[in-house]
Structures are given as structure tokens and as C-alpha cells.
Amino acid sequence: NDGGADMQIVEFRDELLDCMRSINECLNIIFQPIADKYNLTLLQAGILAEVLRQGNHTVSSLSSVLGMTCGNTSSACKKLEKLGYLRRVRCPEDERCVQLAITETGRLTLRQIDGEVHKKYQWVLLNKSDEDIACITKGMRLLMDILQEMKNNNSDMAESRLGGIYGRKEKS
């Protein structure tokens, strides 16, 4: 057992968790006041942005993209519909299917939010060198690559465990 490697793992894990907490806290402090102007949470604004970006979604497809349960996504979408930002439409071919579409009010609101968010980024990015921006971007991509590898490794491990449990053929 390599104590140095274990220490490096603990340091990386702790640094990642601290960084995630700090990023979430900062994003909330910076961007929630913008969303508040439109009676939205950051999550609701993210839902609207995703529906606008991707076109029509179902609650299920949106849940999958956002990593949320269908119940939580459905509740958020109902609230957005009441606010006039989103429309939920039953699919004519399957009444169980509900398509989500952004309303004109939602589109205009997102345009206003995007303008305010753009100003926040612009102010910061104007004070950073191109090299700093490239370094930050590269670091974020590397981190995403590492997390994706961990996620894939986790999925592979789960599949191998399930294969070991369920993959055996019964003796005849």
C-alpha cells in the first residue's frame, strides 16, 4: 500500500470538494440576484435555458440532461408554466408524453438574463489575459475529463458487479 499515493488521493478529493463548494457558493452569490429579478431560481433559469437551447424536451429527457428526478423536474416545470415562461403540451400520439416548450415571455426573459450574465463575465474577462483564460479553460476541460473517467469507471464497475450477479446462465 503506497502511503504517498493515498495522501495524493485524499488531497485531490478534499481540494475537489472544497472547490465545488466554493464554486457553487460564488455562482449563487453572483447569479441568483439576476434570477431573483424574474422570480426564478438558478435551477429554473437553467431549465429554461436548456429547453431553449435544445428545443422541445419531455420531462423525462430534461430530467436526464439535468441529472434530476422526473418528479422534481415536473414540479419545477409546473412552476415555470404558472409564471408564463414554459408551456407543457401533451403529445397527440401519446397522452402520457408531455412536451416542454419555452414561451415568448420565457424567451424574452432569458434574453434579458443572458445580457446581465454577459456583463458579469465581460467585466472579469476584460481583466484577465488570454493566457489566463486559456489556462482556466484547459483546467476545466481536464477536470471534466477526469470526472468523466471516474463516472465511466464507476459504470463499468457496476456493470461488472451486476454481470457477476445476473450474468450467470442457469444450469439445465
Side-chain angles (χ1 to χ4, degrees):
N1 194 359
D2 185 2
D6 286 345
M7 188 62 161
Q8 191 176 23
I9 291 168
V10 170
E11 288 175 8
F12 180 80
R13 180 202 63 206
D14 290 351
E15 186 67 28
L16 178 61
L17 291 174
D18 287 345
C19 191
M20 286 172 42
R21 272 192 293 270
S22 293
I23 288 170
N24 281 329
E25 179 184 350
C26 289
L27 290 175
N28 282 324
I29 289 168
I30 295 165
F31 297 116
Q32 188 58 57
I34 296 170
D36 285 344
K37 290 180 185 179
Y38 304 95
N39 199 25
L40 295 170
T41 65
L42 288 178
L43 176 63
Q44 291 168 331
I47 287 172
L48 289 176
E50 175 59 26
V51 172
L52 179 64
R53 184 183 72 79
Q54 192 61 38
N56 289 351
H57 261 293
T58 64
V59 170
S60 178
S61 67
L62 185 60
S63 296
S64 180
V65 167
L66 298 175
M68 295 173 54
T69 65
C70 283
N72 287 343
T73 304
S74 182
S75 295
C77 290
K78 284 178 188 175
K79 169 91 175 180
L80 289 168
E81 186 176 36
K82 285 180 185 172
L83 291 169
Y85 295 131
L86 199 63
R87 208 171 54 251
R88 295 173 343 125
V89 182
R90 295 247 175 235
C91 301
E93 60 276 358
D94 183 354
E95 287 291 315
R96 296 170 298 176
C97 174
V98 177
Q99 288 280 333
L100 304 170
I102 195 156
T103 63
E104 190 57 32
T105 300
R107 190 180 314 280
L108 292 172
T109 299
L110 272 179
R111 193 173 299 137
Q112 291 172 316
I113 289 171
D114 191 51
E116 292 185 52
V117 167
H118 183 85
K119 288 177 190 171
K120 297 273 187 185
Y121 283 113
Q122 184 179 30
W123 182 84
V124 170
L125 295 179
L126 287 175
N127 295 304
K128 296 292 176 198
S129 70
D130 290 345
E131 295 80 24
D132 285 348
I133 302 294
C135 183
I136 292 165
T137 302
K138 182 179 180 181
M140 288 189 294
R141 286 188 184 130
L142 286 171
L143 179 58
M144 286 307 303
D145 289 346
I146 289 169
L147 294 173
Q148 193 65 44
E149 279 182 53
M150 290 172 71
K151 177 182 156 192
N152 292 342
N153 187 37
N154 197 35
S155 296
D156 292 345
M157 288 172 60
E159 286 176 20
S160 69
R161 281 196 305 270
L162 289 175
I165 297 169
Y166 299 110
R168 295 186 187 118
K169 293 187 178 177
E170 299 227 0
K171 294 180 182 178
S172 6

